[in-house]
Amino acid sequence: MAAMSGGMAAMFGGMAAMFGGMAASGNEANMEAVLIDVAAGHAQESQSGLQLLRPRIWGAFHRVPGKVAAIVIHPTSNFMHHYLLEPLAARGVAALGLNTRYLGSDVSMLLERAIQDLGAGVRWLHEQGYERVLLIGNSGGAALVSLYQSQAENLDIAATPAGDPIDLRPADLPPAQGIALTAAHLGRSRLMETWIDPAVIDERDPLSTDPALDMFDPANGPPYSRAFLDRYRAEQRIRLARLEIWARARLRELRGVRNGIDDMAFVIHRTLADPRCLDPAIDANDRKAGTTVWGPPRAQNFAANSMGRFTTLTAFLSQWAPCSRGDGQACLARTSVPVLLAEHTADASTFPSDHAEWAAAAGDRLHRRFALKGGNHYLSEQPQLAAQLADEIAAFAAAL
C-alpha cells in the first residue's frame, strides 16, 4: 500500500506523537507515514478486530531520491522515530523505520511471521523504485534481519517450532543487498539463555530461590568465581531446556484432548539475571556496573513486566526456547551479503563476546567492524555517536 497523503497523513501526525514522540520540525516534516497490508496471522495475535480483519504494519519513511534504501526494524519496539532515520536521509539514504504487527507486545509473537512483515517492507521499497535495500539490525532487530536474509536466500521454513504450518513463499521475502548491525543482540533465545535466573526453584513462585545459585547474594559475588560462573551458565541452560520440554508437553496435552485448544498463556519469572550486569570484569567493556538498559538488574529480574515475562506456548517456542530459529549468529552465517558491524562500547546488554560471534559469522563478508567509543545501547544523549554511525552506514549503503 502506498504512503498516505493529505488528511490521512495529517491524522497520522497526531498518532505519531503517541508512537515515539515525533515532532513536525526539521527533516521530520518530510516524514511519510506508511501503512502496508500483510498476510493474515493466527486468530488471537491481536486484540484488535480491525487489525485481524485487515492486518497491517506501520512505518515512517524519509524519502530520498536514489537507488538504495534502508530499513531499520525490531521485532516489537517502535522504530518509527529511530535515531538513524533523519541522519541517513540527510546523508542521501532513504530510510524506513518499520514496525512488525507485534508492535508493543511479544506475547504472541512468531518470528516466522515477523520476517514476513519485514518482507512486506522490502517489497514496498522496491515498489517505490529503490533497487537495493540495506537491512539495519539494531538491538533485537539484528537477529530478525539475519533470520530474514537467511530465509530470503534459502527458504526452508514450512512450519513454526510448534509444528503449525506457515505459508511463506519466496515472493514474500525479497532478498536485501546488505546488513548493518549495531548494538546487536544475538537473538531472543540467546538472550534468554544468558539472562534467565537459574536460582528459581519453583516456576510458580518468583520468590523461590536456591541461594547457591543466586547472583544477587553477596556470598556469591561479585566478583564471581570461575566455578560459580560455570555452574551458573550450565544451570541457566538446564532451566531453559526444562521450560521447552514442559511447553511442548503442555501443547501436546492441550491439543490432544477432544475439542482441545491450540495455545495457552503462561509466565516466566525472573528473566534478567546475567552476572555481567553486576560484574563489569566479565566480558569487559566500558559499561557501568550494576545496571541494565532498563534499570537496576535485581529490580528488573523480579519486575512484573520484564523480558519474556508473559508469553504463550507457541510464542515461547518461536522466540525464547533453544529450538527458536532466531539465533542471529547462526542465521547470519547462512547469508551471502556484505555486513557492517558496529559495537557500542558502553552497552550494558551487548558485549564483546557477542560482537566476536557476529564477526565470525560474517567471515570474509565483513565489510567493516568498528567501535562507537562510549556508546550506550540506545546512543541516548550521544548525538555525535549517532552521527558517526550514520556516516558509516551511509558509506556502506553507497558501496552496495
Side-chain angles (χ1 to χ4, degrees):
M1 182 173 178
M4 294 181 291
S5 60
M8 282 292 287
M11 180 181 70
F12 183 84
M15 295 178 65
M18 293 186 291
F19 294 117
M22 292 184 175
S25 61
N27 288 332
E28 283 190 342
N30 299 319
M31 185 273 291
E32 300 175 25
V34 175
L35 188 57
I36 302 173
D37 290 319
V38 293
H42 57 88
Q44 288 298 320
E45 71 179 9
S46 171
Q47 291 299 301
S48 167
L50 290 175
Q51 172 72 2
L52 291 173
L53 287 170
R54 187 176 181 182
R56 297 169 172 181
I57 55 176
W58 293 93
F61 186 48
H62 293 252
R63 188 181 297 270
V64 175
K67 297 300 183 183
V68 62
I71 291 181
V72 59
I73 192 168
H74 186 279
T76 59
S77 291
N78 182 2
F79 273 11
M80 293 171 66
H81 188 48
H82 195 277
Y83 57 80
L84 281 171
L85 298 179
E86 287 187 70
L88 286 176
R91 289 160 175 78
V93 181
L96 173 62
L98 188 65
N99 297 318
T100 74
R101 71 187 67 201
Y102 304 106
L103 172 63
S105 176
D106 56 19
V107 171
S108 62
M109 189 182 76
L110 301 176
L111 289 174
E112 293 77 13
R113 186 66 69 189
I115 61 172
Q116 196 172 41
D117 293 350
L118 175 51
V122 175
R123 188 170 60 250
W124 185 85
L125 286 175
H126 287 321
E127 291 168 355
Q128 308 309 300
Y130 296 95
E131 297 175 358
R132 299 183 298 280
V133 174
L134 169 64
L135 303 179
I136 301 176
N138 176 216
S139 186
L144 180 64
V145 302
S146 298
L147 173 61
Y148 173 86
Q149 185 66 19
S150 69
Q151 290 300 306
E153 294 186 21
N154 182 25
L155 179 58
D156 63 3
I157 292 177
T160 70
D164 299 320
I166 188 163
D167 186 19
L168 291 173
R169 304 177 184 183
D172 295 333
L173 310 173
Q177 283 65 55
I179 292 174
L181 303 175
T182 178
H185 290 301
L186 289 171
R188 294 187 157 217
S189 60
R190 297 291 301 277
L191 275 180
M192 190 66 86
E193 181 182 73
T194 54
W195 287 12
I196 197 167
D197 193 336
V200 171
I201 296 172
D202 184 346
E203 294 292 347
R204 300 164 297 181
D205 181 4
L207 298 179
S208 64
T209 299
D210 179 352
L213 283 169
D214 185 359
M215 67 169 267
F216 301 103
D217 187 335
N220 295 321
Y224 302 102
S225 70
R226 173 48 54 192
F228 176 82
L229 288 173
D230 287 347
R231 186 185 173 203
Y232 193 92
R233 294 303 191 198
E235 293 292 338
Q236 285 180 303
R237 292 189 291 271
I238 289 171
R239 183 185 174 201
L240 191 55
R242 186 168 60 239
L243 283 169
E244 180 181 333
I245 292 169
W246 171 83
R248 289 191 177 280
R250 185 62 171 155
L251 200 58
R252 287 193 300 271
E253 180 183 9
L254 293 173
R255 294 179 174 185
V257 300
R258 185 180 179 184
N259 299 321
I261 60 176
D262 288 335
D263 207 353
M264 183 191 83
F266 69 104
V267 174
I268 308 174
H269 294 294
R270 292 163 57 177
T271 56
L272 215 169
D274 189 337
R276 292 177 292 189
C277 294
L278 295 184
D279 190 346
I282 307 169
D283 224 346
N285 61 8
D286 302 325
R287 68 188 183 274
K288 294 180 181 179
T291 187
T292 69
V293 294
W294 301 292
R298 190 179 187 281
Q300 292 303 312
N301 189 43
F302 282 87
N305 184 19
S306 192
M307 188 193 77
R309 183 71 78 248
F310 303 98
T311 189
T312 70
L313 299 171
T314 57
F316 171 74
L317 294 173
S318 179
Q319 296 177 70
W320 306 112
C323 65
S324 170
R325 295 188 175 97
D327 183 326
Q329 183 267 350
C331 291
L332 188 68
R334 296 195 294 269
T335 67
S336 64
V337 296
V339 177
L340 184 73
L341 179 59
E343 177 178 0
H344 300 200
T345 70
D347 195 342
S349 65
T350 67
F351 306 96
S353 62
D354 300 326
H355 298 286
E357 287 201 45
W358 284 117
D364 60 9
R365 297 176 292 112
L366 187 59
H367 174 83
R368 177 163 155 71
R369 179 183 180 185
F370 63 97
L372 295 173
K373 186 65 176 176
N376 57 50
H377 188 68
Y378 300 113
L379 299 186
S380 175
E381 300 182 357
Q382 296 179 311
Q384 73 286 359
L385 293 183
Q388 179 185 342
L389 179 59
D391 285 341
E392 295 277 359
I393 293 176
F396 180 52
L400 294 179

